[in-house]
Amino acid sequence: MTVMSYLGAIGAAQREAMEADERVVIIGEDVEANVYGTTGAGKSRKDKGDFLEMFGANRIRNTPISEEVIVGAAIGAAMTGLRPIVDLSYSSFLYMAMDQFVNQAAKNRYMFGGQASIPVVFRSAMFYGLNTGAHHSDRPYPMFMNVPGLKIIVPSNPYDAKGLLRSAVDSDDPVLTFEACMLWGSKGEVPEEEYKIPFGQANVARTGDDVTVVAISSAVPEALAAAETLAGEGVSVEVIDPRTLVPFDTEAVIRSVQRTGRLVIADPAHRTCSAAAEISAIVAEEAFESLRAPIVRVTTPDTQIPFSPALEKQLYPNRTKIEDAVRRITGLMANTLNSELTSPAPRM
């Protein structure tokens, strides 16, 4: 094992994939210059331009600043034998290529009767929480969950970032990977040898018996911190990281809820039609008889993201909000309130 940053793990996965298969290419805005540090050697920003030196200009290609052109070119390249990794930078930029994603990438295998596959990976970073304003702070993965034919991954740590990206490159279907850039600097142990994480396998990040917390992307470390605090209060919290939203590991969540009887979902996306909403519906349909309390969603309000740091930081799921949700459905708050109401009044 070696300690590696989230960003370094992405770079390492891309390097391994390119070394293993000459059909793998990387295209995107400024990938030759290694702007964000994912087309270097995967260790530090000093590796600037390393991929270009290792693999050449035919496999590391800068593109015009036109997302529709980038995505369309990648789909065509994939259909003719290449396996592109596309760096689209900000996730909010995906909107400019919606027709390419929805009507081409997602549908072409079906429309061509299975004669064509679309082995392309679209990487994008969610820059929320960093005061980048409403045009650059979206978390659009729920929107793409509604498009049949797309696979969606949301790694929350370096180990998953590398293993899931390696599996994504091997997929014959289009894969969208959404990276919370606030996690880019986080570090963790990663195997030095090559490994891959299958899609549709959730990770039980912490075991527990009283409450299940399904946390997505940057909400995972917040949920783990909340679980640690709640353990000191006598509440055992199980934290599940789905890792992939499409396909989704329904069985892992259902098994956990059947044991704990309570469910909290922490999702950084907006509340309406979110991944949290879909997970809530799945559990309500398949494990309703196991629930001992209402399902609680901890999400971002349905509002535009302000530029103000003081305002923005209040919007997203954090450990305090998750702790409060768990206390609410385990009755801790009610018990505390009842204790205060029945205790003798203080003498004046």
Side-chain angles (χ1 to χ4, degrees), residues 148-166:
L150 301 177
K151 294 179 178 176
I152 298 173
I153 64 177
V154 282
S156 68
N157 58 73
Y159 178 87
D160 288 353
K162 184 180 179 185
L164 288 171
L165 185 54
R166 288 294 284 114

Side-chain angles (χ1 to χ4, degrees), residues 89-92 123-127 138 177-181 184:
S89 189
Y90 289 73
S91 295
S92 299
R123 286 187 49 240
S124 66
M126 302 179 290
F127 279 79
D138 284 345
T177 173
F178 292 91
E179 305 158 13
C181 69
W184 272 357

Side-chain angles (χ1 to χ4, degrees), residues 13-34:
Q14 293 184 145
R15 186 179 67 254
E16 283 184 7
M18 296 191 74
E19 290 172 343
D21 189 340
E22 63 181 11
R23 296 174 299 171
V24 178
V25 299
I26 297 179
I27 67 173
E29 298 167 15
D30 297 320
V31 292
E32 292 179 8
N34 189 29

Side-chain angles (χ1 to χ4, degrees), residues 227-248:
E228 187 67 26
T229 298
L230 290 161
E233 301 175 16
V235 180
S236 176
V237 176
E238 180 150 292
V239 178
I240 295 180
D241 177 357
R243 302 200 285 200
T244 67
L245 295 174
V246 181
F248 182 74

Side-chain angles (χ1 to χ4, degrees), residues 145-288:
M145 289 173 65
N146 193 247
V147 181
L150 301 177
K151 294 179 178 176
I152 298 173
I153 64 177
V154 282
S156 68
N157 58 73
Y159 178 87
D160 288 353
K162 184 180 179 185
L164 288 171
L165 185 54
R166 288 294 284 114
S167 293
V169 175
D170 288 349
S171 173
D172 286 331
D173 295 308
V175 179
L176 276 64
T177 173
F178 292 91
E179 305 158 13
C181 69
M182 63 182 67
L183 298 175
W184 272 357
S186 63
K187 294 184 178 182
E189 289 191 336
V190 176
E192 293 184 358
E193 69 274 8
E194 182 177 330
Y195 69 97
K196 301 170 186 177
I197 298 175
F199 289 177
Q201 285 190 8
N203 175 42
V204 180
R206 181 184 177 114
T207 58
D209 299 315
D210 298 325
V211 183
T212 299
V213 175
V214 176
I216 297 168
S217 187
S218 64
V220 174
E222 298 296 322
L224 290 171
E228 187 67 26
T229 298
L230 290 161
E233 301 175 16
V235 180
S236 176
V237 176
E238 180 150 292
V239 178
I240 295 180
D241 177 357
R243 302 200 285 200
T244 67
L245 295 174
V246 181
F248 182 74
D249 191 351
T250 298
E251 292 184 3
V253 175
I254 296 299
R255 282 197 305 268
S256 180
V257 171
Q258 286 174 338
R259 191 179 67 257
T260 66
R262 301 176 181 90
L263 175 63
V264 172
I265 307 166
D267 180 1
H270 291 304
R271 186 175 185 82
T272 300
C273 298
S274 59
E278 177 62 19
I279 297 167
S280 297
I282 290 171
V283 173
E285 288 177 347
E286 301 191 24
F288 181 78

Side-chain angles (χ1 to χ4, degrees), residues 25-91:
V25 299
I26 297 179
I27 67 173
E29 298 167 15
D30 297 320
V31 292
E32 292 179 8
N34 189 29
V35 170
Y36 293 114
T38 57
T39 48
K43 295 179 180 178
S44 74
R45 290 184 178 272
K46 295 180 180 179
D47 300 316
K48 183 175 181 179
D50 186 67
F51 271 36
L52 186 61
E53 296 171 7
M54 291 175 65
F55 302 110
N58 284 335
R59 297 181 68 192
I60 305 294
R61 282 290 186 100
N62 277 352
T63 61
I65 304 176
S66 173
E67 284 71 24
E68 187 174 17
V69 169
I70 298 169
V71 175
I75 294 168
M79 292 179 68
T80 54
L82 296 180
R83 307 188 77 89
I85 301 173
V86 184
D87 189 335
L88 288 166
S89 189
Y90 289 73
S91 295

